[in-house]
Amino acid sequence: MHGIIFLALEDFLEARCGEGAWSQAMREANLVEQRFAPDCFYPDEGATDLFRASAKVLHLSLAQTLEALGRHMSSDLISLGRSMGLVREAWTTLDLLEHLPKEILAAFGNASAGMKPPDIRTYRLKYAEVAVAYVSERKLCPLLKGIVLGMGEFFNEPIRIEERLCMLENAPLCRLSVYLDSPTLKNHIEISREFQAVHSRIQEIRFFNQFAGIPVVNQGLVLQYGKDSVLVQIHPESLLAMRTEGLTYLALPHLPIGLKAHVASVDGRHGTATLQQIVATDGPIGRRLQSRVVPDQPIGIELRIRKQTVRGGIGNLSEGGICVILRNESPIDESMLFTPVQMRFTLPVHSVDSAATDEPTAKILLDGNLLHIDKQGERHRVRIVFRPLTVNNAQWVRRYYLAREQQASHQLRTLIAAEKEKQYGL
């Protein structure tokens, strides 16, 4: 274990219990003659004994001691990372976690000394959420949680941690979800004030919806606003998508985060919709790098993970990743988080460009990593992030998306024309 941990523990004990606490812990652990340096590595056995001895001195459980130590040492770790050029000044808690495995921890390993950093894998799922997997024989997950909570205190950010799996409860890894639990990202926006600002300036706001799995984005105006509802005027395509989904996402020009609203009613004749139950999202919206497409017909997929073959269906697809729908009896679970996956499926060529090839289907073979698992009733929704696509595969996915976009647009226009005909008796 890295000497920095031992020095941090000494400082923590002296700060908590006063002079002599460190010596007492060293005696309890039978390490009186041991000296620690910040640039050396030491056996894990001594660290375990010292952690337990420190818990005795503090009259706390081992888990409480480790978490408190993590909180205590977090600010010094951030300062050290900045001084070494590993941590950028602009980064805060979730940014640090996002870049932790490859850009920070890698600098603290030492293969020649038989020391390797803990296996911590992270993925930024959302603006305000990072998924973390921790795998280590040391099982120091309380220390990791303490460090994360300490980072939140350092940056004055409210951080919430949910632990779905834990090695201390015989799981193969610890699976954490770390959230930026800020009130400004929740329901504390004064809706009437925000829409008053937009209405008084006659500013346009952007609406984000989906129709047949294809994004529908248009600008609109606020006609009326109140404490609990807002009347907006928007393009017929967005109105139809809103009515189908029953909700919409909004981006106001002056807000750094997005809003989500329930669509209470739609008036196609006047081009308006009444929005209610308006709340803040967990970050900006409308910034997805790759648009997802929902297939218009079932597309099977075969996954190869840990020498097991699993079959399911494609829920949606983009150039960056895929959502796969599996039955509950599927062997895939959260213990496999971030595990490499090989995928095999076919895209219907007639939906892409039937003139481009004589083949009836385009066979796709991809590699990726298991990113997220969401259990919904009798189904698992598994999100997989792709490794870089080959030029050929990227072209097929892009073609398929464009073809589906054309189909959805044509369907939208047809429905809008039918509604107008019905409204005006044409």
Side-chain angles (χ1 to χ4, degrees):
M1 187 170 295
H2 205 289
I4 291 173
I5 303 293
F6 296 97
L7 296 177
L9 180 59
E10 178 181 1
D11 184 66
F12 170 60
L13 285 176
E14 298 288 334
R16 273 291 186 98
C17 301
E19 189 176 349
W22 175 246
S23 299
Q24 182 182 348
M26 291 286 281
R27 287 194 300 272
E28 287 277 354
N30 296 316
L31 293 171
V32 176
E33 303 299 324
Q34 179 70 62
R35 296 292 181 268
F36 300 105
D39 55 349
C40 294
F41 300 91
Y42 301 91
D44 288 346
E45 294 77 11
T48 301
D49 293 340
L50 196 47
F51 289 145
R52 295 188 184 281
S54 299
K56 274 190 178 182
V57 172
L58 293 165
H59 302 291
L60 297 173
S61 69
L62 179 59
Q64 289 172 326
T65 299
L66 290 172
E67 183 173 322
L69 170 62
R71 286 177 182 264
H72 176 83
M73 66 187 295
S74 191
S75 60
D76 288 338
L77 289 177
I78 294 170
S79 299
L80 176 64
R82 285 175 172 174
S83 68
M84 294 175 66
L86 303 174
V87 175
R88 299 178 191 174
E89 288 290 334
W91 286 354
T92 56
T93 307
L94 299 194
D95 302 311
L96 277 163
L97 286 175
E98 181 181 2
H99 297 279
L100 182 65
K102 294 182 180 179
E103 299 182 42
I104 301 174
L105 282 179
F108 289 92
N110 190 327
S112 62
M115 164 63 189
K116 64 178 182 179
D119 182 2
I120 301 178
R121 316 166 204 164
T122 66
Y123 271 108
R124 188 76 170 258
L125 291 179
K126 301 178 185 176
Y127 172 82
E129 179 185 357
V130 173
V132 180
Y134 168 76
V135 186
S136 174
E137 294 178 357
R138 303 181 183 113
K139 298 184 180 181
L140 298 179
C141 42
L143 180 64
L144 173 61
K145 287 188 282 187
I147 291 172
V148 173
L149 293 171
M151 288 194 294
E153 293 165 2
F154 181 86
F155 294 113
N156 195 28
E157 293 179 317
I159 296 298
R160 175 170 56 90
I161 298 176
E162 290 182 4
E163 188 169 27
R164 303 185 183 185
L165 296 170
C166 183
M167 289 183 293
L168 298 178
E169 297 176 358
N170 298 318
L173 53 71
C174 292
R175 165 68 169 91
L176 309 175
S177 291
V178 181
Y179 299 94
L180 178 60
D181 205 23
S182 172
T184 60
L185 298 180
K186 291 203 167 188
N187 302 337
H188 296 270
I189 289 179
E190 190 178 330
I191 297 299
S192 58
R193 182 185 64 188
E194 305 301 342
F195 283 95
Q196 179 186 27
V198 173
H199 182 265
S200 63
R201 299 168 187 164
I202 319 178
Q203 290 180 305
E204 291 188 323
I205 58 180
R206 299 183 76 197
F207 294 85
F208 300 85
N209 283 87
Q210 284 197 340
F211 180 82
I214 301 298
V216 178
V217 182
N218 284 295
Q219 292 182 318
L221 293 171
V222 175
L223 301 183
Q224 297 176 15
Y225 60 90
K227 183 179 179 181
D228 300 314
S229 65
V230 175
L231 181 67
V232 297
Q233 189 172 50
I234 185 66
H235 193 280
E237 288 183 357
S238 288
L239 285 176
L240 190 56
M242 285 181 190
R243 188 172 65 192
T244 302
E245 288 192 288
L247 58 83
T248 187
Y249 290 87
L250 306 85
L252 274 59
H254 64 286
L255 283 184
I257 58 177
L259 300 177
K260 179 181 178 180
H262 168 71
V263 180
S265 63
V266 170
D267 184 344
R269 183 180 292 271
H270 296 97
T272 61
T274 301
L275 309 181
Q276 295 178 346
Q277 302 174 26
I278 304 172
V279 297
T281 61
D282 63 355
I285 59 173
R287 298 185 182 180
R288 187 183 296 280
L289 295 178
Q290 290 117 358
S291 295
R292 298 174 183 172
V293 56
V294 176
D296 62 333
Q297 56 184 282
I299 299 179
I301 183 169
E302 181 180 282
L303 307 181
R304 184 70 175 169
I305 179 169
R306 291 184 178 174
K307 298 182 179 181
Q308 298 184 78
T309 300
V310 182
R311 292 178 176 82
I314 295 178
N316 59 57
L317 172 69
S318 75
E319 289 185 55
I322 194 169
C323 175
V324 179
I325 311 299
L326 304 174
R327 292 189 177 275
N328 264 350
E329 60 266 23
S330 158
I332 294 180
D333 58 38
E334 286 191 323
S335 68
M336 300 179 179
L337 197 68
F338 312 150
T339 300
V341 185
Q342 189 175 67
M343 294 149 279
R344 187 189 303 273
F345 59 94
T346 57
L347 287 177
V349 171
H350 71 272
S351 296
V352 183
D353 184 358
S354 58
T357 177
D358 295 330
E359 296 288 335
T361 56
K363 294 179 172 58
I364 308 292
L365 181 64
L366 301 174
D367 290 316
N369 289 84
L370 194 65
L371 178 63
H372 186 63
I373 299 174
D374 183 23
K375 295 182 179 180
Q376 297 183 348
E378 297 181 355
R379 295 286 189 272
H380 285 179
R381 293 177 63 85
V382 178
R383 170 61 57 184
I384 299 169
V385 60
F386 293 150
R387 294 180 186 173
L389 299 183
T390 64
V391 173
N392 191 50
N393 282 338
Q395 287 178 344
W396 281 121
V397 174
R398 198 174 301 123
R399 282 176 164 182
Y400 182 72
Y401 173 82
L402 291 174
R404 289 287 296 117
E405 185 178 48
Q406 292 174 0
Q407 292 171 354
S409 296
H410 175 73
Q411 188 179 355
L412 261 178
R413 290 193 297 268
T414 301
L415 290 172
I416 290 170
E419 288 204 354
K420 286 184 177 179
E421 183 177 350
K422 182 179 179 181
Q423 287 172 7
Y424 297 103
L426 299 176

